[in-house]
Amino acid sequence: FLLNAWLIIDDSVPINDLSRFTSLLDKNEQQVGTLCKFSDIPNKLNKFIKTGLKYLRGKQYKLIVEVFLPSDLIGVEVDRWKISDPIIEEISLGIKYPIRLRSLERLDLEYLDYYLSDWYKYWDKVKTVLHNEPIQELFEHLEEMESFNWKLLRNSLKKKIGLKLTCAPPKAKTKDLFRAILTTTTPIAIWTRYDIPNLDQVSAIDEILTYQPLCHLCESIKEIRKQADAQTEEHLGFHLALLWENPYRLTPDIMLELTTVGQ
């Protein structure tokens, strides 16, 4: 795997100003990224966070971690990767920081040529309700995937801002699931990676969605993960995943391509 990492210290800087991005890689790696095996990625991420915190030293901040993954790896338990902590030695990433999963496919320039305009429109819809209590009707609900048809889901998603998946998606159907999400440029999806016996997952996920205004959904999920960490039994917080795709937050190499060609 080839990894890149950046820190955005000031979100008030205009999106097309690439000075807002600070690379977290060593200087000799910044052109191409750092090469590593999959099993090394949590350690690399831990190193990136340590570097980022040095830049934030002495500041008041709220760090959010966004991880771009190819859709066939979107089920990886990123939130359970271990990072270092000066007091308790190590802690799960998703307990320490809110996490937003991103689909790597949306950084493909050909994808952006075809879909970015629609993606902007969808995000504009999201912005109108970000500070409201989420309305259930805004999320397409997928409760089972045995009879899953991605084209039907695609048609349903066109009228929504997000997807609520209250069953664990089978690995064999992940590609088709994301085919629907990517072609409709759906910005938000929440799902469970594992079906917990004797748990009403629909009610549990609905409660998370309506706990705070939509703009705080990442923080709501972080709190659920903290609750899970304090228990030894199976808990939804161990298995929740959140896709949060803001088209105005892309990596600097892609932003450069967009501003150079599209200005």
Side-chain angles (χ1 to χ4, degrees), residues 2 9 34-35 50 56 75 84 98-99 107 109 116 119-120 137 143 174 198 204 230-231 237 242 250 252 256:
L2 193 63
I9 296 180
T34 182
L35 198 63
K50 280 186 172 183
L56 294 169
S84 57
I99 298 173
L107 294 182
L109 286 173
L116 183 57
W119 190 8
Y120 282 147
E137 290 74 25
E143 200 166 358
T174 301
N198 305 317
Q231 300 186 21
L242 176 68
L250 303 178
L256 180 61

Side-chain angles (χ1 to χ4, degrees), residues 131-179:
H131 299 283
N132 303 340
E133 181 178 306
I135 302 169
Q136 297 300 321
E137 290 74 25
L138 295 175
F139 286 81
E140 179 62 21
H141 184 195
L142 200 56
E143 200 166 358
E144 60 86 21
M145 290 192 70
E146 289 181 16
S147 57
F148 175 68
N149 181 316
W150 78 269
K151 291 182 179 179
L152 289 176
L153 177 61
R154 177 187 61 188
N155 292 340
S156 301
L157 282 173
K158 287 180 179 177
K159 304 166 188 173
K160 311 290 183 177
I161 65 163
L163 171 66
K164 175 180 66 176
L165 186 60
T166 55
C167 64
K171 194 168 185 180
K173 297 188 178 182
T174 301
K175 184 176 180 180
D176 278 347
L177 176 66
F178 272 83
R179 187 174 288 173

